[in-house]
Amino acid sequence: MQDLVVPLNHVLFVSTLLFTIGMLGLMIRRNIIFILMSLEVMLNASALAFIAAGAHWGQPDGQVIFLLILSVAAAEVAVGLGLVLQIQKRFNSLDMDDANRMRG
Amino acid sequence: MVIVTLIIILLIGGIIALLSEKLSEEAPRVTALLSILVSLIYLMLQIIKPDYITVITQSSLSDPASWLMHLKLEWIPAFGISIEFALDGLSLLMVALTLILGAVAVSASWTDIKKHQGFFEANVLWTLAGVIGVFTALDLFLFFLFWEVMLIPMYFIIAIWGHENRSYAAMKFFIFTQASGLLMLVSSIALAVIYKEVNGQYSFSYFDLINLPKGYLTEYLLMSGFFVAFVVKLPGFPFHTWLPDAHTQAPTAGSVILAGILLKTGAYGLIRFAVPLFPSAANDFAPMAMALGVFGIIYGAMTAFAQTDFKRLVAYSSVSHMGFILLGVYAWNELALQGVVIQMIAHGFSSAALFMIAGSLQERLHTRDMREMSGLWKFMPKMGASAMFFIIASLGLPGFGNFIGEVLILLGLYQVSSWMAVAASLGLITGAIYSLILMQKSFYGEPNAHRGETTMLHDFRKREMLTMYTMMGALVLLGIYPQPIMDVAQTTLIGLIDAVQLGLVK
Amino acid sequence: MQDFVWLIPLMPLISAIFLMVFSSKLPPTTVGFFGTGSVGMSALLTCNLTWGYLKDPDLFTVSLWTWMKVGELSANVGFHIDGLTIVMMMIITCVGFLIHLFSCEFMEHDKSYARYFAYLNMFVSAMLILVMSDNLLLLYLGWEGVGVCSYLLVGFWYQHSSNGRAARKAFIVTRIGDTAMMLGLLILFTELGTLDIQSLVSSAQVRWQTGDFMPTLACLLLLAGAAGKSAQFPLHTWLPDAMAGPTPVSALIHAATMVTAGVYLIARMHSLFIISPHAMMVIAVMGVGTALMAAFSALVQTDIKRILAYSTISQIGYMFLALGVGAWTAAVFHLMTHAFFKALLFLGSGAIIHCLHHEHDIFKMGGLWKRMPITFASFLIGSSALAALPFTSGFFSKDLILLSAYQLEEFGPILWAGGLLGALVTALYSFRLVFVVFFGRIQTLPNKENGWRIGLPLTILCVLSLVGGYFTLPLSNLFPMETNSHPATWVEVVSIATPLFGLLVAYILFIKIPSRIPKSLTSPQENTISRFLFSGWKLDEFYDRLLVSPYVRSTSILLDEPLDKLYNTIVLVNQKLHKWLSFSQSGRMRWYMVSVAIGFIILLGIAIAIPRGLSEW
């Protein structure tokens, strides 16, 4: 177990910051592209935390999970962009609130 | 095995009835009647042996093997849940009553079901199967299972074949009984957990749980769970409001099963579970329960008097009669409990018959409103005479079963609480008042002038009269020679009384 | 004979069931044959039994089967036969037979002939069970059974809703008394552990001291039952209305037998009542009060049957007076003579009503004595017996009652004076009836002469009403010895002279100077007092205000199930909650995100807080 160049706390702080930025993006933006981007940011934030933790304890699990997240993110973007295209076609807009058919 | 076979016969009979719908209109009814009769005969053949009464008198609570019949198969051993059926005198009486009234119910709806006959008869048979399960299951989990099983077909019977306001009534019935049943489930699970704390493993078996030591507060809370479930079903004041709606909206067979059989599961539950499992809590709670019983008697009778709907009046009369049962159970001595058993059987017959008459009236007049009736005796003397018979029986005239029930309950009750007995006896007067007004409004009086076509009304036919005679005979027999029934129930009741005594001493 | 005693109540019962089941298929003659014949057979069997008993008077008990045996309760279906039972059985079967015979003709043209006889037979059977039973529970069976038959027969002509109302009133008012009686049974059973009459009475005498509270309470409750059935104040209001039934029914049920069941009950339980002097006093006062009250009401009635109904109430009042002063034999004696002459009067009035197109108003009758000689004779004899004119049957029994009352210590003379006043009024109203109906101008012509089935019972009852006073009842071993020292001669003279004086007054009023009849005696609506008396002392109105209307009003509140309001509130709350929750389902992504975030923070907060706290909770 060796010390990192950058202390763990700092990495985690950055990760939290990124996560918060992504979350705020989700809460504030209406444009569906931005929402997708915010999601990616959040995923990356958690991936960063995994990497840092894995490095800190010298365990490979962190990197494994990072790879998993990476692939999930790729798949998600693929599906998400497909949905974006569909929404653009149907509603002629990229505004999320135009598609709120599920209102109770 | 007898019980399992019985339940299976009824379940399969239901499936056959469902399928036979395609053959002809008659086929489902015949199938249903046949499967009930087969079950009844099977039960008789299996049970009524020369020495059965001695066997019954030997059954003791501490030794399930001594019962008339006992079956225990593992089901979910990890939680101590097993398939445990047992039959003693009380259960035997109830099962026999279920089957007989089941046959009556099928006969009552012989002609008035016009759609999905197969599914209807299937539901009737499945309800009966559920009820038999309730009367014989002695594993609390299995008991709960059957408790719920009998609801669902009953819900369908009301919701599909009911009258104008059926979905409201069906929903009300379902929610009341279902919600209260969940309280019972919580209580049973808690009992199993307590059993584990004491003995190291779970058990839902009645025989294990009956002598379980519990903290007083726990006991009281758990008892309330059971009490509410059973009193809703009974139905006791103030949980009775589902009953008038369900009865009024249900088709005739549904009302017959509801009044004759389903209500008895509540009373049975009180006798079998709610009191013996929690002796000291039940003992302390008794005055409350008796007060509810008295309220129920008076409230039911007074409300019945005001009704204009024939079926609703009879439904409220059930509320009133069930008040006596609640009183009898919580008086908890041999006299009162024997009274409860007789009252359960007698009320089964008398109210079933009255609902049949209500059903026949509706079939002929297309109304249940008594303001539209009046003077029907002139056109339908046989029906009028039958109605008179059962009204007089249900108001507690000596010579009929209902009187034996009421008088035994009063005799037992007076020894426990004289004031309650005084209050309950008011029910004898109020009972007479609503019963006679029922007769007056429907069959007596001047025939309705605007009912010109009443001459077309046909009286009871042979099939209907046969059913009526059967029930009349049963009530009279119960009224003048109830001893055999009492002998069958006696051992169970004394055993339960002793168990509660023992629990109180501890 | 003892082994077949159960046949006596069974015979009418079988006939009743038979008639009920096959009612529509039987020709009237068969119906009449079965209905009357079964009671006739019972009467023959009873005569046989009586003959045997008179030759060799020993009482016996026949147990048929165990009715119920639960815990310490053990009741048999069993009959106990002693002198009192024999007297009652004779009255029921013989008078019953005559009335059945009378009914054959009276009801001939009714469509529900079979139903009528079925009810009537059932009544005879229930009444026999009442008087024969050896335990109070079986007695209660007969007691309620006769009540139901009375209900059925009063409401026999069901098309008129007023008949239905009268029938219901009769049943419910007596049911109030019956319920009190049931409570009495509960007390007796709980205190003494048995309902068997003989053992109950003997253990009561061992267990209780004279004047104890418990026996008094039990006696008063039994008395309430007796008052309901026997139409005594305050539960007598049903009897005048019960006249809505066919007249033979009034004769059998509401004059001769059922209404005297209360007298029978108290006489049967006399050993219990002796323990409680207070209850005895209540009985005596109730008896005199009712006798006077009803006699005054009878004085102003215009409906022939209502006059007789009030007079029945009044006469049973005399029986209660006798019971209250401990003159048991006198009470039963008067019960018997009353059964004869009142059945006679009712059947006579039935004969009149039958011939006068169902006319009930006595002021629309008149001058009938030439046209209907047999009926006139029967009315004359019956009224004489009712008024207790010397040497009729009523004279002996009523005289016995009055003298016994006089001899009671302390209050005796007051009770006697009350009874005497009643006797005066009785003579007055009974001869008012005779003079108005049979003398004066003919107002309605009788349409036909009655046949032998009406004539024969009337004749036999005439004879019985005349000679009934010379019968000796086999009651000597049953009741405690009564002191029969003769009171002062003037008491006897006054007792005998009073009815004669009443007759004289009636003669002057209604025959001698008919033009000066006080208006209040002919049209009761004329002045306040007679209106008050006519309405039965306004008791009906009083009960209506006090009990009936409040009950009906409170039930109409319950009609819509007030409890459902409670459950509807629960439903309403749920619906409100549902609205709020569905409002949160806005479909806005960002709103969801915010709620996720907030929820997450809250959960986090809880997760941080709990591990610290749980062990401390």
Side-chain angles (χ1 to χ4, degrees):
Chain A
M1 208 196 286
Q2 65 192 76
D3 271 354
L4 297 170
V5 182
V6 189
L8 178 65
N9 275 351
H10 291 194
V11 185
L12 287 184
F13 178 72
V14 171
S15 153
T16 315
L17 202 66
L18 276 176
F19 191 87
T20 317
I21 289 170
M23 190 102 178
L24 283 175
L26 270 182
M27 289 184 199
I28 293 166
R29 303 308 295 242
R30 283 205 280 194
N31 191 310
I32 201 160
I33 303 276
F34 280 94
I35 288 176
L36 269 182
M37 279 165 65
S38 305
L39 275 177
E40 290 303 310
V41 170
M42 283 164 78
L43 280 173
N44 284 333
S46 56
L48 182 61
F50 273 112
I51 293 284
H56 180 71
W57 277 291
Q59 298 279 337
D61 305 12
Q63 297 176 20
V64 172
I65 295 292
F66 172 71
L67 283 176
L68 182 72
I69 290 177
L70 212 61
S71 44
V72 167
E76 183 232 312
V77 166
V79 175
L81 284 178
L83 284 175
V84 169
L85 283 180
Q86 281 299 317
I87 287 173
Q88 167 67 22
K89 248 191 208 164
R90 288 233 176 142
F91 300 103
N92 253 334
S93 108
L94 282 177
D95 188 342
M96 203 55 202
D97 289 349
D98 285 345
N100 63 351
R101 285 273 178 84
M102 253 182 66
R103 189 167 24 198
Chain B
M1 276 315 282
V2 177
I3 294 307
V4 182
T5 321
L6 269 187
I7 293 173
I8 289 174
I9 294 177
L10 290 173
L11 289 178
I12 293 180
I15 295 171
I16 297 175
L18 184 57
L19 297 177
S20 68
E21 193 178 15
K22 298 200 179 81
L23 287 178
S24 75
E25 273 191 16
E26 284 277 299
R29 319 196 256 268
V30 176
T31 319
L33 197 58
L34 273 183
S35 27
I36 293 172
L37 291 180
V38 165
S39 327
L40 196 57
I41 292 167
Y42 176 72
L43 180 73
M44 293 299 157
L45 287 181
Q46 286 294 318
I47 301 297
I48 314 288
K49 292 169 182 154
D51 62 335
Y52 91 106
I53 207 88
T54 15
V55 177
I56 282 175
T57 50
Q58 279 157 4
S59 54
S60 91
L61 266 180
S62 49
D63 176 23
S66 69
W67 285 31
L68 206 50
M69 195 134 305
H70 181 246
L71 172 80
K72 187 168 185 173
L73 302 171
E74 286 207 336
W75 185 14
I76 313 177
F79 295 114
I81 297 172
S82 55
I83 296 180
E84 184 170 25
F85 290 108
L87 196 67
D88 62 354
L90 181 62
S91 303
L92 176 65
L93 287 178
M94 291 296 115
V95 170
L97 178 74
T98 307
L99 288 173
I100 294 170
L101 285 180
V104 169
V106 171
S107 149
S109 274
W110 201 255
T111 49
D112 71 344
I113 298 299
K114 304 280 186 240
K115 56 174 186 184
H116 311 304
Q117 286 97 343
F119 190 42
F120 179 80
E121 304 295 351
N123 276 319
V124 169
L125 290 178
W126 291 337
T127 311
L128 295 183
V131 173
I132 290 180
V134 164
F135 284 141
T136 50
L138 282 178
D139 179 281
L140 289 189
F141 191 83
L142 189 69
F143 178 78
F144 174 76
L145 181 90
F146 280 112
W147 188 262
E148 300 291 308
V149 160
M150 69 183 179
L151 289 189
I152 296 162
M154 197 63 220
Y155 170 81
F156 283 131
I157 290 179
I158 301 174
I160 300 180
W161 295 275
H163 303 309
E164 63 282 352
N165 205 2
R166 55 179 174 266
S167 55
Y168 169 74
M171 197 55 90
K172 200 171 176 180
F173 161 72
F174 193 80
I175 290 175
F176 264 82
T177 38
Q178 164 78 17
S180 59
L182 288 178
L183 290 179
M184 180 175 75
L185 179 65
V186 172
S187 291
S188 336
I189 292 174
L191 277 178
V193 171
I194 294 172
Y195 187 81
K196 192 188 180 194
E197 278 174 7
V198 179
N199 296 323
Q201 66 197 35
Y202 292 108
S203 172
F204 279 89
S205 172
Y206 179 69
F207 299 102
D208 290 338
L209 297 177
I210 192 159
N211 290 319
L212 199 58
K214 296 168 278 282
Y216 182 73
L217 186 65
T218 329
E219 186 177 336
Y220 216 105
L221 284 174
L222 299 186
M223 187 219 57
S224 332
F226 274 85
F227 179 78
V228 169
F230 295 137
V231 164
V232 167
K233 195 64 160 224
L234 192 57
F237 181 88
F239 304 112
H240 63 271
T241 65
W242 63 269
L243 183 89
D245 287 312
H247 267 314
T248 314
Q249 299 303 325
T252 309
S255 302
V256 169
I257 293 180
L258 258 180
I261 309 170
L262 282 200
L263 305 191
K264 299 336 178 260
T265 59
Y268 170 83
L270 287 173
I271 298 180
R272 177 77 84 198
F273 298 105
V275 179
L277 288 181
F278 316 98
S280 46
N283 189 45
D284 293 349
F285 184 67
M288 271 295 288
M290 288 199 263
L292 286 183
V294 169
F295 266 118
I297 293 174
I298 307 292
Y299 186 92
M302 288 182 75
T303 318
F305 175 76
Q307 302 303 317
T308 52
D309 183 317
F310 193 109
K311 264 182 141 177
R312 247 184 127 74
L313 199 160
V314 181
Y316 273 110
S317 81
S318 286
V319 175
S320 186
H321 287 136
M322 291 300 127
F324 273 104
I325 285 192
L326 196 55
L327 278 170
V329 170
Y330 280 87
W332 202 254
N333 51 35
E334 200 193 340
L335 278 167
L337 285 182
Q338 286 284 17
V340 168
V341 172
I342 301 285
Q343 173 87 338
M344 277 156 80
I345 299 174
H347 174 262
F349 284 111
S350 66
S351 63
L354 284 176
F355 279 120
M356 268 189 77
I357 290 167
S360 323
L361 281 177
Q362 173 146 33
E363 205 182 344
R364 289 162 172 79
L365 303 171
H366 308 290
T367 178
R368 299 184 306 269
D369 194 334
M370 288 188 290
R371 285 167 296 192
E372 308 259 312
M373 297 180 181
S374 160
L376 293 178
W377 188 303
K378 193 172 175 194
F379 311 108
M380 299 184 284
K382 278 184 194 161
M383 196 195 277
S386 313
M388 181 63 91
F389 182 95
F390 289 109
I391 283 169
I392 285 174
S394 89
L395 71 78
L397 189 83
F400 303 107
N402 309 58
F403 168 74
I404 307 285
E406 278 172 20
V407 80
L408 286 181
I409 289 172
L410 284 176
L411 284 171
L413 183 62
Y414 189 86
Q415 301 180 344
V416 180
S417 157
S418 47
W419 287 111
M420 287 291 175
V422 172
S425 66
L426 285 180
L428 299 180
I429 303 170
T430 49
I433 296 176
Y434 70 73
S435 305
L436 298 187
I437 207 76
L438 175 66
M439 197 64 205
Q440 176 68 41
K441 283 186 179 168
S442 49
F443 288 98
Y444 277 12
E446 189 77 24
N448 235 344
H450 66 266
R451 190 171 283 287
E453 79 283 18
T454 27
T455 39
M456 309 263 290
L457 293 173
H458 57 84
D459 205 352
F460 267 159
R461 300 226 167 82
K462 282 223 173 70
R463 173 182 60 79
E464 288 156 318
M465 268 331 272
L466 188 71
T467 323
M468 287 288 150
Y469 280 139
T470 317
M471 291 197 277
M472 288 179 191
L475 278 178
V476 169
L477 209 60
L478 211 54
I480 59 174
Y481 191 43
Q483 200 59 40
I485 304 285
M486 294 190 194
D487 288 342
V488 171
Q490 191 186 32
T491 316
T492 310
L493 299 179
I494 291 181
L496 290 172
I497 291 168
D498 289 347
V500 168
Q501 279 301 331
L502 211 68
L504 281 179
V505 172
K506 276 185 199 159
Chain C
M1 183 54 220
Q2 303 193 351
D3 299 335
F4 295 102
V5 70
W6 49 269
L7 268 176
I8 298 175
L10 189 66
M11 215 91 79
L13 187 66
I14 290 175
S15 159
I17 294 170
F18 174 77
L19 292 176
M20 201 79 89
V21 174
F22 299 103
S23 57
S24 50
K25 294 171 192 130
L26 294 174
T29 37
T30 323
V31 171
F33 179 75
F34 270 98
T36 315
S38 62
V39 181
M41 281 304 290
S42 292
L44 283 180
L45 285 172
T46 312
C47 289
N48 186 1
L49 183 73
T50 313
W51 185 244
Y53 186 85
L54 289 178
K55 271 198 304 195
D56 174 24
D58 73 313
L59 34 100
F60 61 93
T61 305
V62 186
S63 280
L64 298 182
W65 70 83
T66 309
W67 191 11
M68 44 189 142
K69 190 163 164 40
V70 190
E72 65 261 56
L73 171 71
S74 161
N76 285 330
V77 174
F79 300 131
H80 176 83
I81 309 292
D82 60 10
L84 180 58
T85 312
I86 297 249
V87 172
M88 291 301 290
M89 283 166 74
M90 280 302 278
I91 296 172
I92 295 162
T93 52
C94 295
V95 176
F97 171 72
L98 294 177
I99 292 172
H100 273 72
L101 189 61
F102 182 93
S103 302
C104 284
E105 185 169 331
F106 188 84
M107 298 296 286
E108 211 163 22
H109 301 294
D110 200 282
K111 275 185 208 145
S112 307
Y113 200 54
R115 188 163 60 94
Y116 173 81
F117 274 101
Y119 290 167
L120 214 56
N121 278 342
M122 205 151 70
F123 168 80
V124 171
S125 177
M127 191 70 204
L128 283 169
I129 291 174
L130 195 167
V131 298
M132 290 166 74
S133 72
D134 72 341
N135 65 69
L136 282 177
L137 221 47
L138 189 63
L139 185 146
Y140 191 77
L141 184 147
W143 190 268
E144 291 284 291
V146 292
V148 161
C149 294
S150 153
Y151 164 77
L152 292 171
L153 284 163
V154 171
F156 180 73
W157 287 311
Y158 56 84
Q159 286 96 334
H160 300 288
S161 54
S162 62
N163 292 354
R165 194 177 316 124
R168 278 205 314 284
K169 183 176 173 186
F171 191 78
I172 289 165
V173 173
T174 48
R175 182 89 174 176
I176 292 171
D178 296 353
T179 305
M181 180 177 157
M182 178 46 92
L183 288 175
L185 297 197
L186 296 184
I187 290 179
L188 287 175
F189 175 71
T190 311
E191 295 288 320
L192 303 173
T194 177
L195 284 175
D196 185 77
I197 294 173
Q198 304 308 317
S199 47
L200 184 123
V201 164
S202 54
S203 70
Q205 282 165 333
V206 175
R207 180 90 197 272
W208 284 325
Q209 302 292 314
T210 303
D212 277 358
F213 173 69
M214 265 303 166
T216 306
L217 185 62
C219 284
L220 287 177
L221 287 168
L222 289 186
L223 172 63
K229 202 55 103 194
S230 291
Q232 294 297 290
F233 177 83
L235 294 176
H236 66 277
T237 56
W238 62 271
L239 189 62
D241 288 348
M243 294 300 122
T247 311
V249 170
S250 311
L252 179 60
I253 300 184
H254 305 121
T257 54
M258 186 188 87
V259 287
T260 55
V263 181
Y264 167 78
L265 176 73
I266 295 173
R268 172 57 73 205
M269 305 296 291
H270 66 275
S271 313
L272 187 66
F273 279 85
I274 288 174
I275 303 177
S276 165
H278 290 104
M280 296 277 282
M281 202 60 219
V282 173
I283 297 176
V285 172
M286 180 193 254
V288 165
T290 314
L292 283 173
M293 210 169 158
F296 277 110
S297 282
L299 199 55
V300 295
Q301 300 298 319
T302 53
D303 182 324
I304 185 166
K305 285 181 74 180
R306 282 181 88 89
I307 297 176
L308 293 177
Y310 276 111
S311 109
T312 305
I313 298 175
S314 163
Q315 293 306 306
I316 297 171
Y318 279 104
M319 295 175 213
F320 270 65
L321 168 63
L323 294 171
V325 300
W328 314 106
T329 316
V332 178
F333 193 28
H334 195 55
L335 191 161
M336 182 189 73
T337 55
H338 174 256
F340 295 150
F341 64 71
K342 193 49 72 62
L344 174 65
L345 283 171
F346 264 113
L347 291 187
S349 73
I352 296 173
I353 291 166
H354 194 52
C355 289
L356 290 187
H357 324 282
H358 294 274
E359 181 56 65
H360 281 219
D361 190 342
I362 54 170
F363 291 103
K364 301 214 170 101
M365 302 169 183
L368 290 176
W369 70 276
K370 259 186 203 155
R371 309 264 170 174
M372 306 176 74
I374 296 177
T375 317
F376 172 57
S378 58
F379 250 89
L380 202 59
I381 293 169
S383 295
S384 310
L386 172 61
L389 297 188
F391 310 116
T392 59
S393 62
F395 166 73
F396 292 99
S397 51
K398 198 180 271 179
D399 206 38
L400 202 55
I401 291 174
L402 288 178
L403 296 187
S404 309
Y406 184 79
Q407 283 163 343
L408 190 74
E409 288 155 28
E410 225 176 325
F411 297 108
I414 302 174
L415 293 174
W416 173 77
L420 211 58
L421 179 60
L424 177 69
V425 182
T426 305
L428 203 57
Y429 71 70
S430 39
F431 282 97
R432 165 179 177 257
L433 178 62
V434 172
F435 293 148
V436 170
V437 171
F438 290 97
F439 295 93
R441 215 156 37 80
I442 292 179
Q443 311 232 9
T444 318
L445 271 179
N447 58 347
K448 59 182 177 269
E449 190 52 63
N450 287 313
W452 68 272
R453 285 172 302 177
I454 285 184
L456 183 66
L458 286 179
T459 321
I460 296 176
L461 283 172
C462 279
V463 175
L464 284 175
S465 301
L466 280 177
V467 304
Y470 300 99
F471 292 170
T472 317
L473 301 181
L475 298 172
S476 44
N477 308 330
L478 198 66
F479 296 125
M481 284 304 285
E482 291 148 27
T483 49
N484 263 340
S485 61
H486 281 270
T489 324
W490 69 270
V491 176
E492 294 208 41
V493 171
V494 171
S495 301
I496 295 170
T498 309
L500 292 171
F501 179 66
L503 168 63
L504 189 69
V505 173
Y507 176 75
I508 294 171
L509 279 179
F510 294 99
I511 301 279
K512 202 78 175 158
I513 37 170
S515 53
R516 275 201 274 157
I517 302 174
K519 273 278 184 193
S520 54
L521 290 183
T522 53
S523 47
Q525 300 307 333
E526 208 50 36
N527 68 37
T528 332
I529 294 175
S530 58
R531 214 164 32 234
F532 178 68
L533 293 178
F534 182 75
S535 65
W537 298 53
K538 295 254 190 250
L539 265 181
D540 275 331
E541 202 178 317
F542 177 68
Y543 287 149
D544 201 49
R545 291 233 178 115
L546 187 73
L547 296 171
V548 181
S549 328
Y551 187 80
V552 173
R553 241 176 295 152
S554 49
T555 56
S556 62
I557 298 170
L558 295 179
L559 173 62
D560 291 328
E561 188 58 87
L563 270 180
D564 253 355
K565 294 214 173 61
L566 178 72
Y567 294 113
N568 285 340
T569 321
I570 298 177
V571 174
L572 220 65
V573 168
N574 267 320
Q575 278 171 344
K576 271 270 164 359
L577 286 176
H578 157 80
K579 274 229 179 79
W580 291 340
L581 278 177
S582 63
F583 178 69
S584 73
Q585 197 85 5
S586 63
R588 282 169 205 276
M589 194 68 181
R590 289 163 296 135
W591 165 245
Y592 291 168
M593 225 30 245
V594 172
S595 17
V596 166
I598 293 172
F600 180 70
I601 290 166
I602 291 173
L603 280 182
L604 211 62
I606 292 174
I608 293 166
I610 279 185
R612 199 177 299 144
L614 194 60
S615 54
E616 293 159 19
W617 283 358

